[in-house]
Every structure is written in structure tokens, then in C-alpha cells.
Amino acid sequence: MTAVFPYPTLFGDVELQVVSVTVDNRELPYAMISAVDRAVALHQSGRGAWDRARLRLSVSFPEAELRSGPWTDVVFLAVLAEKATNARTTAVLSRAADGTMRGTIELDGAAHLRRATLSVLVVGTVEGVAGRLLGCATQDWYVDLKAATPARQREIEIVEVDFKEGEHEWLRPYKESAWIVETTGDVPTVYLNTGAVEGLIEALGGSGGSPARRMLRDLAATQIAQDAWTAMFHTAISDLDADEDGTPVLPKGWRESVLRSMLPDVLPGRQPTDALHEIAERRTKGYGWAEIQTGVQFAAGRRSRATRNLTNAVRSVQNLEGAGGTR
């Protein structure tokens, strides 16, 4: 969370580690836990169907600072949540003999769908107000129910499916679309319609080929990327939390990455928090929203390299026409 608080908070780092994981009381191989990527993979847990996973946690923190600071009733709270299902589990951690905070948190397999985020919050009483946020883990962990290997959250996922006859019924009303961008989950997903445009999937997945095929691939990929950036930006700004003063704060995960990347082009010359405040104000008060859309279009076009790829396509056409003697 990026925010300015009207009370003292922790300056030092709070570091979260997953020490071990058990699935239905059987310990998960440590190869399924990546300290580097801060991820846990549960897909190949040794059982096709499982009920409950238990994660054992360890948290280091700036002990001297916490001990001398102007706060009381400090609690370390582990939070496991997934927006796709609105599932949320919390657990209070306790002081261990080595000075760290330790504890366990459980993940109910039936309550989660794909990828849960594990974080740690440090809360306490400051200036007589209880439950104030003092700090949080510098980096969250991800618990992936679908992954076979532990890896950080991908920026975007590509799924090939027939919208008309595939297993995703919600896509059937869009059967005439070549692709759909879905951003409600923990990983933005582009669904490519295998039944819409004959040869499109093969062209997108290929490499090399004739100049015409390369041009088709680049232009299609550019349009998909531009649609994805636009959809991700609008999802990110529609799901903003606010601090105690009502000031919007940057979200976490891919939403933060998208906003940090695009905001300098959407509202040039402003810091991310200032840009978020202006966007939220324009949206609620109803002024200047059209200008924001122009900025979003520009920012998405830059990130999808639309101008460069279109320039290359025009040059390719000119070269082909020149080679064929056409004027």
C-alpha cells in the first residue's frame, strides 16, 4: 500500500516467509514452495482432491523500532484473501523464541478458485485510536491452486477457447468476438476465440513466415495488447481503497503495476498518488472524464507499440507493392 498516514508508522521492513505447508495434514514438498518468487503451488499436492491447506508462517520486523514507538496493543495479523471468490481468512501471529512472529493460517480449498494473496498487517493503538495500520509485509506471497510450480503472478494469461461451444458458458454471448479481456481475477486473462476467425490462433502462435503473415501477427497482437491495457487500467482505477482521509491509495499486485506504468501518460507531470486523487475527483464530480479517456487511449497505445507496429505494417505494404511493380 502506498499512502501517507496522519500518525506514526513503522519505517523498517516487515518480511514474511512461508516456512512449510501441509495439505490435509500431509507436508507439501518444499519444491512447491519458492522463497525467491514468494509463491506456493498447490495443483500437484499429491492428491487430486483436497480439503484444507495449512501454511506455517514466520515474520521478521524492526523489533527495536516497534518496542520504542508511540503505539500499544500491537498485533501481527496474517490475511489470506482472493478477490475472485471474496474469500478472506485471518490469523493472529505470536512471538516465538527467536524473536520473530510465527503462526499458521488455513486455506479452505472449497472457498478458493485460482490464486490467493497472503499478506501480513501490523496494527495497533496510536494516539488513543485502536486498529490503526502500522505497517505491512514488504512483499506478499501468492498461493496458487492451479499452478504445478511456484512462480510469481504472471502479468497476463492467454486462454484459447471456443466461445460458442467451449466449456465457459459465460463467453457464449460473445461468440462473434475474436477475443475478450477479463480482469476480475488475480491474473488478467485474454480469452482468444478459436471459432471466430479462421487461422487467427495459428497466426498469433507462429513465428517467421511471409511478410504478410508477420504483419498480420503483429497487428493482431497489437490490438489485443491495447484492449488488454485499456481494460486493466479501468479495472485498476475502479477498485481503489482510500486512507482515513479519503485519499485514494495504490492497489497491490498487477493493478499497482498497471497504474504506475500508465498514469504518467494519462496525467503527465503528476505523482501516482496525485494522479489517482485527480482521477477519483473527476469521476465523482463528472468533469474532465473525456480527457482522461484520451490519456488512457494514448497510454495503452504506447505500451502496445501501436504506432511502431502500424508504421512497420505500412512499410511492409509499400515494399510488397514496390516489389510487384505497383504504384
Side-chain angles (χ1 to χ4, degrees), residues 155-327:
E155 292 184 357
I156 196 164
E157 184 173 348
I158 307 295
V159 176
E160 299 176 9
V161 61
D162 189 326
F163 287 13
K164 183 179 180 180
E165 300 179 356
E167 60 184 29
H168 301 285
E169 293 188 7
W170 67 273
L171 287 172
R172 290 175 186 169
Y174 313 110
K175 61 185 179 181
E176 296 181 2
S177 298
W179 58 79
I180 288 291
V181 182
E182 193 270 329
T183 57
T184 59
D186 288 334
V187 180
T189 302
V190 174
Y191 290 91
L192 298 177
N193 188 357
T194 59
V197 180
E198 186 177 355
L200 177 61
I201 304 301
E202 291 76 9
L204 287 170
S207 60
S210 67
R213 180 171 288 274
R214 291 197 300 270
M215 182 171 60
L216 169 63
R217 179 170 60 247
D218 290 345
L219 290 179
T222 296
Q223 186 60 58
I224 293 171
Q226 186 158 0
D227 287 353
W229 278 108
T230 302
M232 289 189 296
F233 182 87
H234 282 292
T235 297
I237 62 171
S238 68
D239 191 25
L240 296 176
D241 292 325
D243 62 19
E244 293 183 346
D245 295 332
T247 301
V249 297
L250 285 169
K252 292 186 177 182
W254 66 263
R255 292 169 176 81
E256 179 180 6
S257 299
V258 167
L259 290 179
R260 286 192 180 277
S261 175
M262 295 182 68
L263 282 174
D265 287 325
V266 176
L267 288 172
R270 295 168 177 82
Q271 294 296 321
T273 50
D274 294 335
L276 282 185
H277 181 78
E278 182 165 342
I279 287 175
E281 187 170 298
R282 290 191 185 194
R283 185 170 55 186
T284 55
K285 295 184 178 179
Y287 72 90
W289 192 242
E291 289 85 347
I292 293 293
Q293 303 313 305
T294 302
V296 172
Q297 183 181 8
F298 171 67
R302 285 194 66 184
R303 272 135 202 87
S304 59
R305 301 178 179 178
T307 300
R308 190 195 70 171
N309 290 336
L310 183 58
T311 299
N312 291 338
V314 171
R315 288 174 179 171
S316 295
V317 170
Q318 291 173 340
N319 291 335
L320 289 173
E321 289 179 345
T326 302
R327 293 290 186 268

Side-chain angles (χ1 to χ4, degrees), residues 23 26-29 32 41-50 147-148:
V23 178
R26 177 170 294 183
E27 189 160 345
L28 192 70
M32 301 295 181
L42 294 179
H43 181 58
Q44 293 182 353
S45 60
R47 300 186 61 174
W50 52 272

